[in-house]
């Protein structure tokens, strides 16, 4: 081997040893920009034998998008007006005679969160059934996702970009509006879902009426209001009625409230609230009692008696029970001796005296009020005048045996004037033990006028026994005029 050959060999070996593969760096290694902004990556050759050829590529070997430009020397990659599709990794590939090397740069396009909830609301769930609401959120940087209700954060299960809210058995308190919120540096997004809880077997849909008071007591003439609330869906229509009677004349119904402007005793009774919707109806009851003060009368309210007669006065009262009665004598301190008052309002005097005359007052009282009634009692000795006219026709058959013994004591003063006219026609047929028969016909006309004044004192004892058999037919016409003053 000659020296020139050796030199050439050495030289070529040296060339090989001196030629180095390129080393590159990328600035920046990663970048995040908002959509529409621009970004640049620069690839620098750190070392390696020149010439070095630089090239930019997508890591997925897709072609570079049309908004990606490479500078004249191949080192600078610029993306103007970035869009979502530009996101990803870019490779700077450096090549020289000694070899090739690559360096990565990554680009993220930031965007505010977007939220989607499945299933979408409004969501109808039956009482006791499970419910799961999934919230999917997207956004760069990755947003944090929360579920909230009435401003309170709820416990959820989370995966990458999904937050799931689960209720094993829904109760009526779970009804309401749920909010899924996603937040990152670029913004906040939220979606609301309404959860409607429906009762088992549709019971919550049927109407339910309730009254605020089951019993109401009022005083006559006052105003009364009765309230009725109804639940159900669709919202029930509320109406009021009265058991076995029309509503009182003076009434109004507004928003489930029944108002009776001035109640009377006849308005007492049961009132019915009826809540009706398409699923049925429900009734609730209010019992009204109207209290009234007593209304008092005396029976009789005027009475004339003779000394020794019995006085009986009854005090009557209408109104709320219990009612108590009290008899007094107007203008006198006390009741006459021998006067009895019985609890039910009766006044009794066994034998009245002349000085028991006067006005008696009954006061009836209940828990609402009281009222009074008066009775005028007159006790007097009496005189009488009598005028009588009579006409009679009679047919009679009789048998009579009579024995009488009488004892009587009486004191009487009487003045009487009597005028009588009588006409009688009689036909009689009789049989006697002596076997004689007789038939008689008689006609008589009688007129009498008598005037008598008598004062008598008599004592009599009487005993009588009588047996009589009689058959009689009589026709009588009588006219009498009886005039008495006392
Ligand atoms: C309540 O309403 C229902 C349906 O309209 C009806 O059938 C029912 O008789 C009503 N009840 C009363 C007390 O009015
Ligand atoms: C009423 O008369 C009787 C006798 O007739 C007498 O005993 C009584 O005291 C009299 N009463 C009054 C209140 O005057």
């Amino acid at each position: 081997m000659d020296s020139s050959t050796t030199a050439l060999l050495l030289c070529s070996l040296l060339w090989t040893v001196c030629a180095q593969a390129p080393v590159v760096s990328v600035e920046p290694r990663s970048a995040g920009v908002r959509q529409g902004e621009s970004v640049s990556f620069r690839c620098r050759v750190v070392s390696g034998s020149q010439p070095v050829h630089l090239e930019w590529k997508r890591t997925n070997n897709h072609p570079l998008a049309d908004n990606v430009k490479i500078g004249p020397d191949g080192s600078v990659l610029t993306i103007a007006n970035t869009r979502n599709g530009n996101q990803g990794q870019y490779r700077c590939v450096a090549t020289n005679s000694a070899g090739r090397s690559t360096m990565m740069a990554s680009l993220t396009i930031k965007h505010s969160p977007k939220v989607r909830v499945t299933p979408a609301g409004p969501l109808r769930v039956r009482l006791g059934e499970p419910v799961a609401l999934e919230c999917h959120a997207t956004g760069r940087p990755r947003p944090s996702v929360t579920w909230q209700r009435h401003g309170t954060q709820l416990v959820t299960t989370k995966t990458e970009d999904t937050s799931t809210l689960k209720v094993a058995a829904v109760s009526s308190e779970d009804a309401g509006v749920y909010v899924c919120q996603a937040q990152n540096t670029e913004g906040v997004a939220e979606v609301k879902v309404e959860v409607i809880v429906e009762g088992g077997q549709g019971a919550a849909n049927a109407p339910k009426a309730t009254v605020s008071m089951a019993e109401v007591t009022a005083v006559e003439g006052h105003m009364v209001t009765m309230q009725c609330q109804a639940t159900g869906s669709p919202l029930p229509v509320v109406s009021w009625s009265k058991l076995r009677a029309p509503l009182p004349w003076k009434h109004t119904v507004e928003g489930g409230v029944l108002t009776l402007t001035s109640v009377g005793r006849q308005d007492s009774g049961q009132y019915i609230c009826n809540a009706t919707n398409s699923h049925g109806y429900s009734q609730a009851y209010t019992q009204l009692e109207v209290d009234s003060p007593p209304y008092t009368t005396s029976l009789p309210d005027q009475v004339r008696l003779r000394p020794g007669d019995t006085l009986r006065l009854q005090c009557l009262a209408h109104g709320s029970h219990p009612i108590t009665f009290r008899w007094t004598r107007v203008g006198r301190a006390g009741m006459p001796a021998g006067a009895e008052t019985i609890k039910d309002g009766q006044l009794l005097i066994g034998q009245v005296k002349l000085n028991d005359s006067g006005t008696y007052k009954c006061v009836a009282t209940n828990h609402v009020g009281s009222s009074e009634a008066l009775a005028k009692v007159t006790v007097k000795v009496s005189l009488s005048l009598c005028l009588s006219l009579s006409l009679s026709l009679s047919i009679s058959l009789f048998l009579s045996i009579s024995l009488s013994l009488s004892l009587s004591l009486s004191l009487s003063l009487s003045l009487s004037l009597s005028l009588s006219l009588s006409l009688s026609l009689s036909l009689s047929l009789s049989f006697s033990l002596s076997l004689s028969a007789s038939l008689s016909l008689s006609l008589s006309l009688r007129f009498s006028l008598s005037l008598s004044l008598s004062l008598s004192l008599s004592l009599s004892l009487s005993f009588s026994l009588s047996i009589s058999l009689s058959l009689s037919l009589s026709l009588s016409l009588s006219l009498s005029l009886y005039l008495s003053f006392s």
Side-chain angles (χ1 to χ4, degrees), residues 116-300:
R116 184 166 51 90
V117 170
T118 52
L123 187 62
R124 293 178 181 278
V125 188
R126 283 197 176 277
L127 205 67
E129 287 191 353
V131 69
L133 288 169
E134 282 185 2
C135 180
H136 310 277
T138 56
R140 296 274 167 197
R142 176 176 291 153
S144 63
V145 185
T146 55
W147 273 106
Q148 298 172 5
R149 188 165 73 126
H150 307 317
T152 310
Q153 194 166 326
L154 303 170
V155 177
T156 55
T157 54
K158 285 181 191 175
T159 60
E160 282 276 292
D161 55 359
T162 306
S163 176
T164 308
L165 179 72
K166 283 182 181 162
V167 180
V170 163
S171 72
S172 52
E173 294 87 67
D174 294 325
V177 175
Y178 290 78
V179 182
C180 175
Q181 192 179 71
Q183 184 167 18
N184 69 5
T185 54
E186 302 308 297
V188 181
E190 61 179 41
V191 168
K192 291 179 180 166
V193 182
E194 191 187 359
V195 173
I196 299 160
V197 176
E198 295 179 335
Q201 291 83 50
N205 289 338
K208 178 91 189 86
T210 44
V211 288
S212 50
M213 276 187 287
E215 275 175 34
V216 176
T217 303
V219 172
E220 200 173 41
H222 285 216
M223 191 176 87
V224 171
T225 58
M226 295 179 218
Q227 239 169 10
C228 181
Q229 290 89 30
T231 58
S233 125
L235 208 62
V237 174
V238 172
S239 65
W240 277 98
S241 57
K242 192 180 177 202
L243 188 71
R244 290 192 284 273
L247 282 176
W249 181 59
K250 287 186 259 178
H251 82 269
T252 58
V253 179
E254 210 179 296
V257 179
L258 171 65
T259 306
L260 308 178
T261 34
S262 172
V263 289
R265 265 170 74 74
Q266 71 283 359
D267 298 333
S268 295
Q270 200 168 50
Y271 288 79
I272 306 162
C273 167
N274 199 356
T276 310
N277 73 8
S278 50
H279 296 276
Y281 68 93
S282 161
Q283 297 178 349
Y285 307 91
T286 292
Q287 184 72 34
L288 173 67
E289 290 304 334
V290 179
D291 281 342
S292 59
Y295 174 73
T296 313
T297 50
S298 168
L299 198 75

Side-chain angles (χ1 to χ4, degrees), residues 427-450:
L427 177 69
S428 80
L429 183 66
S430 73
F431 297 95
S432 73
L433 202 62
S434 61
L435 292 175
S436 76
S438 82
L439 177 69
S440 83
L441 181 68
S442 82
L443 179 68
S444 81
L445 183 68
R446 196 177 63 188
F447 174 73
S448 80
L449 175 68
S450 79

